[in-house]
Amino acid sequence: MTSNQYLLSVCITSYNRINELRRCLYSIDSCLKDQIEVVVSEDCSPQKENIALVVEQYAKTSPFHVVFNSNEQNLGYDRNLKKLMTLASGEYILFLSDDDCFFPGKMDEFLSCLENNKPAMAYGAFWYGYREAKRMRRKYVTSHVIPPGLDSVQRRIYDAILFSGLMFKRSLVVNIDVDRFVNTNYFQVFMFMTVLYNFGGYYQNTLLIDSVSDGENAYGLVQSSGQGNRLLADRESVFSNLEFNKGLFKVIQSFDKDYEENVFSKFCKEYSLRSFGGFSRAREHGLKIYMDYWNRLKTSGIIIHPICYIYLLCVGLLGSRLSGFLFAIPKKILISRRMN
């Protein structure tokens, strides 16, 4: 390792969230003081001056080397991820959202996989939700090597939805063209699929990230996105996820085109299986919203599988609560197959 290169760059996206960023920064906890740098890229938000002060104050007492960048114009989520990669000098990069944070004492446990396995990419579990609704996600039984190839990609796409905690060998992703994915909001999924397909990876059985996700949501409102997509901004809307998922579909289809594969078809089957939550939420807003949700789902670009029609009928007739009870066990069994 050269004098100007670190083992790991913790790369944090920042937009308009001051207190959340402060919490995020001070959660970085490692004994590898001289091998870790912290890189923050602020995406030209209204609070950019205050954000700069937060990072400046942190840098004064931080045991880690700190790099701060404030974009001269708003790049958007996908291009800001790419900006972080170009600013970083670590052998590995680990992405983190400014409204997420590390669990105390877990970073070094996670980084042990670097010394032992030298993976092309790695990730661990995260905690997601609010108060009593919090649940562990991206959780497997044990630490394990993930072999390269199509099967790993197909089974693990959902592991890349949250970019916080995804770690890549920087040389493998820094030259990937981001312009193809501007405003998809899922550039990290393409990186994840590409690296896993070609090189494999490693799953470290560590609860690494607390996905607090309590910060202001700027998706769809920032300058780079045209400031016109209110459904991306309104995460309380039952239609918001459908709007986000259009970008995810585009990313997966781009991967298929590049590698002459058909991941999208298998993904659609699992997406259909997981679609119950969307149906359930929409039904709670009445039948008119429910049927509007169904019509939007059909035109979203997804391949509709038979399970969606079963959900549509049962949730529409029985309601979300009773249908949830009936489907809970079989749905859990089917989804759990990919996690073991």
Side-chain angles (χ1 to χ4, degrees):
M1 186 170 64
T2 62
S3 59
N4 64 346
Q5 184 182 28
Y6 298 87
L7 174 65
L8 178 72
S9 298
V10 179
C11 294
I12 304 171
T13 59
S14 174
Y15 187 89
N16 226 38
R17 303 193 281 216
I18 301 169
N19 295 328
E20 293 88 346
L21 175 61
R22 184 181 293 109
R23 177 184 63 199
C24 175
L25 288 169
Y26 285 96
S27 74
I28 302 172
D29 175 24
S30 174
C31 294
L32 305 175
K33 310 298 185 187
D34 61 342
Q35 297 187 61
I36 293 176
E37 69 169 352
V38 178
V39 184
V40 180
S41 183
E42 188 283 323
D43 200 16
C44 196
S45 69
Q47 293 282 359
K48 59 185 177 183
E49 293 180 0
N50 290 328
I51 287 172
L53 286 175
V54 168
V55 178
E56 181 182 349
Q57 291 167 358
Y58 171 75
K60 289 178 179 178
T61 59
S62 174
F64 311 110
H65 176 66
V66 178
V67 176
F68 177 69
N69 167 72
S70 186
N71 295 324
E72 293 183 1
Q73 61 182 21
N74 179 256
L75 300 180
Y77 165 79
D78 302 287
R79 282 189 174 134
N80 202 29
L81 278 191
K82 180 62 178 261
K83 184 67 176 182
L84 281 165
M85 288 190 280
T86 61
L87 293 167
S89 59
E91 180 182 1
Y92 288 89
I93 54 175
L94 190 152
F95 290 120
L96 192 61
S97 172
D98 57 0
D99 65 340
D100 295 338
C101 56
F102 291 107
F103 277 107
K106 294 298 184 180
M107 251 189 98
D108 285 347
E109 184 179 323
F110 178 75
L111 293 179
S112 66
C113 72
L114 296 184
E115 297 179 1
N116 299 328
N117 300 280
K118 305 295 183 184
M121 58 87 65
Y123 60 97
F126 67 91
W127 202 242
Y128 176 79
Y130 301 95
R131 298 188 180 93
E132 68 278 359
K134 277 184 172 289
R135 291 178 290 176
M136 198 180 300
R137 300 283 182 87
R138 210 154 62 190
K139 179 72 175 76
Y140 294 81
V141 177
T142 60
S143 300
H144 56 274
V145 173
I146 307 171
L150 181 62
D151 182 65
S152 293
V153 171
Q154 290 175 327
R155 289 170 59 87
R156 295 175 184 261
I157 290 174
Y158 275 94
D159 291 348
I161 301 300
L162 180 76
F163 75 96
S164 289
L166 296 181
M167 184 175 70
F168 299 94
K169 195 164 187 178
R170 192 173 70 94
S171 61
L172 300 179
V173 294
V174 70
N175 293 320
I176 295 177
D177 179 17
V178 69
D179 290 340
R180 303 165 58 194
F181 306 106
V182 170
N183 292 330
T184 64
N185 303 312
Y186 286 108
F187 180 45
Q188 84 280 1
V189 174
F190 186 83
M191 290 191 283
F192 182 93
M193 295 175 72
T194 299
V195 175
L196 208 55
Y197 184 82
N198 290 295
F199 306 102
Y202 192 81
Y203 176 80
Q204 176 69 27
N205 191 27
T206 298
L207 182 55
L208 181 67
I209 300 294
D210 186 356
S211 182
V212 189
S213 301
D214 57 352
E216 173 188 353
N217 178 26
Y219 287 109
L221 298 182
V222 296
Q223 181 182 359
S224 62
S225 66
Q227 302 175 291
N229 198 332
R230 294 283 170 179
L231 286 178
L232 290 181
D234 184 8
R235 298 301 282 142
E236 297 300 317
S237 169
V238 297
F239 307 120
S240 183
N241 277 346
L242 291 180
E243 201 65 24
F244 269 98
N245 290 338
K246 291 177 183 178
L248 179 60
F249 302 158
K250 179 180 178 181
V251 167
I252 297 172
Q253 289 169 326
S254 294
F255 174 88
D256 281 344
K257 183 177 180 180
D258 286 359
Y259 291 98
E260 299 182 344
E261 298 286 5
N262 192 18
V263 175
F264 187 64
S265 178
K266 186 164 184 178
F267 168 79
C268 288
K269 293 179 182 179
E270 184 167 354
Y271 183 92
S272 295
L273 175 63
R274 291 171 175 266
S275 67
F276 177 83
F279 280 108
S280 181
R281 283 190 64 200
R283 183 65 180 86
E284 291 173 357
H285 287 75
L287 281 174
K288 184 177 183 301
I289 296 294
Y290 186 66
M291 294 311 300
D292 191 7
Y293 180 88
W294 168 242
N295 289 327
R296 292 182 188 225
L297 177 64
K298 288 191 297 183
T299 58
S300 66
I302 198 71
I303 302 170
I304 301 293
H305 284 263
I307 187 64
C308 283
Y309 293 97
I310 296 173
Y311 287 159
L312 175 69
L313 180 63
C314 290
V315 176
L317 292 176
L318 302 178
S320 59
R321 181 172 297 184
L322 180 56
S323 298
F325 175 77
L326 294 174
F327 285 115
I329 294 178
K331 185 161 62 72
K332 185 176 181 180
I333 291 173
L334 288 171
I335 292 177
S336 68
R337 289 180 178 177
R338 66 179 280 278
M339 304 301 290
N340 295 291

